[in-house]
Amino acid sequence: MVLASTSLLAAGCVLGPSDPEDTPVNGVRAEGSTFVVKVPRCSTDKLRRVEVTDFDDTSDNPRLLWWASDPTTPSAREGIARLWTGEGFAHHAPKPAESAVPRNVEVDYIFSTGDGYGDVFSPRKVSKAKLKTGQFWTSNGPMTAEEIDAQLACTSDSAEPHQS
């Protein structure tokens, strides 16, 4: 299953629209040696899995660095993952060695529908970002969790997010 979902994500099959301007961005912030990632989601979305791959690996199957599945806490179910710890998830991979973390990583979220979002960040760049309390670094500038979710036009009767 890990290989299959990684392959789908690496191919961009389930990561949203093809127009990069319409693709919502994830947010990330450094808290010590942990990176806290926030994915855009609607309140009805059911997060299933988070995967972190080596974005600099240009092979057909980029190296999977870490994963977590089956969120157990409200925070994890709301699209927040503490990379490398597995906190808030029933299952997760062990923390990778610091030397194994590449210059750029891709964080992909997979919802129960099979859809998901992915975004790339540089751990070094995020570690140096100057953020206010409650903000996340994004490729569009600092954003709060609410602003990250607001990228989607959610409907109350649908379990799938709709692009705004």
Side-chain angles (χ1 to χ4, degrees), residues 19-152:
D19 183 353
E21 291 183 25
D22 290 340
T23 304
V25 295
N26 292 349
V28 61
R29 69 174 172 245
E31 292 183 359
S33 62
T34 300
F35 292 93
V36 179
V37 178
K38 169 65 177 126
V39 66
R41 63 173 285 286
C42 295
S43 62
T44 55
D45 291 337
K46 306 292 185 230
L47 179 66
R48 186 180 77 208
R49 185 176 175 89
V50 178
E51 292 183 348
V52 181
T53 56
D54 180 348
F55 184 74
D56 298 326
D57 181 346
T58 58
S59 69
D60 288 341
N61 293 310
R63 182 171 55 108
L64 181 64
L65 301 169
W66 184 84
W67 60 269
S69 63
D70 304 321
T72 59
T73 64
S75 178
R77 286 190 289 270
E78 291 169 7
I80 295 179
R82 300 179 68 77
L83 303 187
W84 321 140
T85 71
E87 178 183 316
F89 290 85
H91 311 284
H92 62 87
K95 178 180 179 177
E98 193 169 316
S99 62
V101 177
R103 193 177 71 226
N104 297 295
V105 298
E106 181 170 345
V107 179
D108 297 313
Y109 279 70
I110 305 166
F111 297 102
S112 59
T113 60
D115 292 330
Y117 297 108
D119 208 349
V120 176
F121 74 90
S122 161
R124 173 180 274 167
K125 188 179 221 178
V126 170
S127 293
K128 294 178 180 181
K130 304 289 186 220
L131 300 170
K132 295 177 183 174
T133 302
Q135 286 184 325
F136 293 86
W137 177 93
T138 77
S139 55
N140 294 341
M143 297 173 80
T144 65
E146 293 78 17
E147 291 169 327
I148 291 168
D149 286 343
Q151 297 173 96
L152 305 174

